[in-house]
Amino acid sequence: MHDRLVGTWKLVSASSSSASGERNDTPFGSSPAGLLTYTQDGRVTAMISYGRRKRLSSSDSLSAPVEEQAEAFRTFIAYAGRYALDGDKVIHHVEVSSIQDWVDTDLIRRIKFEGQRIVLATPPSLNRGKIQTFELIWQRLASAITGT
């Protein structure tokens, strides 16, 4: 399964569902963007940008109003570290993250291969006051070097 996972993947869709069955097809806004890379030597990098993000009012990001900075932080997730496979799960051992609370933790995702796509699902967890499960579908990108 390791060789099937290695490569770069582009976010196709994201959804969430609550324990009560409530479904949200836009938990990261409409048209989110994301890249997920697994390397042969066991490294993972993940980035998700919410859809319809606003530009800052200043080209100097540190001079932008604090509200704009907070919105930029709230609408972008990035982390990197090591990964391991365990049955139908991939475990991301977070070493650096835009969310400091994730550093030195394991993010466990159930993984399912569907042709040139993978589906990653989170375990149920508290999010915005509700127990939710997130499902993200990723499409394999062709290698920038070989074109395959």
Side-chain angles (χ1 to χ4, degrees):
M1 181 166 27
H2 179 266
D3 289 339
R4 290 176 66 192
L5 190 58
V6 169
T8 300
W9 305 81
K10 180 180 177 180
L11 184 64
V12 173
S13 69
S15 62
S16 65
S17 55
S18 69
S20 64
E22 195 178 334
R23 185 173 166 87
N24 179 357
D25 288 325
T26 56
F28 302 128
S30 62
S31 302
L35 291 174
L36 177 64
T37 301
Y38 293 99
T39 66
Q40 189 69 37
D41 64 346
R43 294 280 170 188
V44 61
T45 302
M47 295 184 283
I48 297 174
S49 176
Y50 284 44
R52 311 235 188 258
R53 294 178 80 213
K54 297 176 184 167
R55 291 185 172 275
L56 299 176
S57 61
S58 171
S59 60
D60 175 3
S61 62
L62 297 179
S63 296
V66 69
E67 296 83 12
E68 290 180 12
Q69 292 181 40
E71 179 71 8
F73 171 78
R74 192 187 68 73
T75 59
F76 190 82
I77 300 166
Y79 67 87
R82 294 170 290 114
Y83 74 92
L85 293 166
D86 182 17
D88 67 344
K89 294 179 178 64
V90 60
I91 303 163
H92 298 168
H93 306 287
V94 180
E95 295 175 1
V96 61
S97 176
S98 62
I99 300 169
Q100 190 62 30
D101 294 2
W102 289 2
V103 173
D104 295 327
T105 67
D106 289 343
L107 301 178
I108 300 169
R109 306 291 184 252
R110 192 178 70 249
I111 186 168
K112 181 170 50 172
F113 289 89
E114 296 179 346
Q116 291 297 305
R117 291 186 172 186
I118 54 173
V119 179
L120 298 181
T122 67
S125 60
L126 188 62
N127 188 288
R128 296 184 183 175
K130 297 178 190 174
I131 300 293
Q132 296 186 62
T133 298
F134 287 82
E135 183 178 274
L136 286 80
I137 300 174
W138 303 86
Q139 174 76 40
R140 180 182 295 281
L141 293 178
S143 168
I145 297 169
T146 65
T148 60

